């Protein structure tokens, strides 16, 4: 995980920027970290939702899959009636074989199961496909890698965000859960303020992604509410999903080291969790 995280500036500099999405309605899909990346592109549905209702009002399906073999993403791509593009780290795969266009977001497959670089590179590739200038992202990520969040002994974490920042909130808690094995919850900022506070107290370490405009106003209100409950709370300024997630990647790594756990395996070396995976595979 550490190697992939600190390679991100170089890997981001190599993200292809020479292709653009065609005109029309685009739907994005994926699973897990790849679904969080997919959401940064625009209208997105988790792969299972596409399988359940493949007749979507879209002209193109853009699938995100790091290795191109995620079963439900493959099933969604087969169910979709229109053309499929793939953003991936592996250009030869079952998904690549059926895609009309394959965008290699990374030049190598990330070895850690706690994905970091594959997420940021996929997000950058999606941004480039939409015509965004992503040339400044490598430097911005290099700067973000120099700033670390202090490690605490909290067992419960909360990350809230809205709009552009909602995928970041989801990806942040996934890193914390799979890499450091802590209880972490993602909340849309406004939803947090409608009932969820009843289960929050001083045992929770909270982060609220600031956003802009009305989102920033509501984020400030959420911070005030969380602090009234005794939560250690950080209001996190946000600039771009590729940059904003780095704080939580670093925190996951530092928490894992403090707790003496291996973030790379996400408990794939534990027989109990192997049995759990076998139960649904």
């Amino acid at each position: 995980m550490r190697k992939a995280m600190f390679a991100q500036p170089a890997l981001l500099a190599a993200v292809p920027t020479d292709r653009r999405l065609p005109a029309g309605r685009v739907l994005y899909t994926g699973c897990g970290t790849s679904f969080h990346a997919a959401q940064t592109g625009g209208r997105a549905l988790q792969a299972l939702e596409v399988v359940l209702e493949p007749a979507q009002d879209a002209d193109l399906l853009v699938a995100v899959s790091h290795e191109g073999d995620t079963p439900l993403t493959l099933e969604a791509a087969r169910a979709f009636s229109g053309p499929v593009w793939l953003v991936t780290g592996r250009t030869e795969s079952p998904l690549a074989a059926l895609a009309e266009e394959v965008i290699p977001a990374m030049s190598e497959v990330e070895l850690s199961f706690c994905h970091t670089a594959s997420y940021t590179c996929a997000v950058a590739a999606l941004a480039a496909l939409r015509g965004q200038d992503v040339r400044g992202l490598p430097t911005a990520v290099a700067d973000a890698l120099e700033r670390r969040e202090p490690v605490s002994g909290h067992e419960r974490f909360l990350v809230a965000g809205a709009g552009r920042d909602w995928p970041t909130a989801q990806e942040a808690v996934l890193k914390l859960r799979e890499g450091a094995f802590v209880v972490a919850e993602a909340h849309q900022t406004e939803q947090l303020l409608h009932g969820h506070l009843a289960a929050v107290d001083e045992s929770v370490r909270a982060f609220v992604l600031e956003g802009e405009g009305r989102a920033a106003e509501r984020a400030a209100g959420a911070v005030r509410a969380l602090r009234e409950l005794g939560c250690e709370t950080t209001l996190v300024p946000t600039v771009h999903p590729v940059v904003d997630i780095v704080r939580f990647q670093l925190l996951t790594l530092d928490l894992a080291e403090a707790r003496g756990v291996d973030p790379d395996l996400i408990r794939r070396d534990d027989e109990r969790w192997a049995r759990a995976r076998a139960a649904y595979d």
Side-chain angles (χ1 to χ4, degrees):
M1 181 181 181
R2 179 186 298 277
K3 180 180 177 181
M5 277 173 47
F6 285 92
Q8 286 177 116
L11 292 168
L12 285 163
V15 167
T17 60
D18 59 341
R19 287 185 245 189
R20 296 291 181 271
L21 291 168
R25 301 160 298 178
V26 181
L27 177 67
Y28 299 84
T29 195
C31 295
T33 284
S34 293
F35 177 54
H36 301 156
Q39 289 178 80
T40 69
R43 179 177 169 237
L45 286 176
Q46 211 278 345
L48 178 57
E49 298 301 321
V50 179
V51 171
L52 294 175
E53 193 175 342
Q56 293 293 326
D57 186 22
D59 303 306
L60 173 69
L61 180 69
V62 176
V64 183
S65 177
H66 180 48
E67 296 192 49
D69 59 1
T70 308
L72 259 295
T73 306
L74 184 58
E75 194 174 338
R78 287 172 173 158
F80 185 72
S81 60
V84 176
W85 284 25
L86 174 65
V87 174
T88 186
R90 177 171 284 164
T91 56
E92 294 185 4
S93 68
L95 269 165
L98 62 80
E100 290 196 2
E101 292 281 345
V102 178
I103 295 87
M106 284 182 65
S107 57
E108 58 191 70
V109 172
E110 186 170 359
L111 298 179
S112 173
F113 288 113
C114 193
H115 290 165
T116 53
S118 57
Y119 173 78
T120 54
C121 287
V123 173
L126 290 172
L129 284 173
R130 303 192 315 278
Q132 256 187 47
D133 184 353
V134 297
R135 290 174 295 179
L137 292 178
T139 298
V141 167
D143 291 342
L145 285 166
E146 296 296 321
R147 301 188 295 272
R148 300 184 97 91
E149 197 70 44
V151 172
S152 70
H154 292 86
E155 289 291 333
R156 298 176 63 199
F157 289 77
L158 181 156
V159 185
R164 177 195 65 190
D165 300 329
W166 176 230
T168 302
Q170 296 171 80
E171 176 63 8
V173 303
L174 178 57
K175 295 306 96 170
L176 291 166
R177 292 174 72 95
E178 67 183 2
F181 314 159
V182 295
V183 177
E185 303 172 359
H187 292 275
Q188 289 187 318
T189 307
E190 193 62 27
Q191 286 298 99
L192 174 65
L193 304 176
H194 288 263
H196 293 283
L197 288 175
V200 176
D201 58 25
E202 67 280 359
S203 68
V204 175
R205 175 69 172 98
F207 298 86
V208 179
L209 306 176
E210 186 172 26
E212 298 174 328
R214 190 66 176 123
E217 294 172 358
R218 295 306 280 168
V223 168
R224 291 193 296 271
L226 289 163
R227 289 176 177 166
E228 284 292 334
L229 294 171
C231 294
E232 183 180 346
T233 304
T234 301
L235 179 64
V236 180
T238 55
V239 293
H240 192 285
V242 167
V243 181
D244 302 333
I245 193 59
V246 173
R247 171 191 302 259
F248 300 100
Q249 295 174 347
L250 287 165
L251 179 58
T252 297
L253 181 63
D254 291 343
L255 277 170
E257 290 183 348
R259 294 164 67 92
V261 301
D262 185 349
D264 290 337
L265 297 177
I266 60 172
R267 280 183 161 155
R268 287 175 176 261
D269 57 336
D270 190 301
E271 178 59 29
R272 183 178 173 191
W273 275 264
R275 292 197 306 270
R277 288 193 304 278
Y280 64 81
D281 285 343

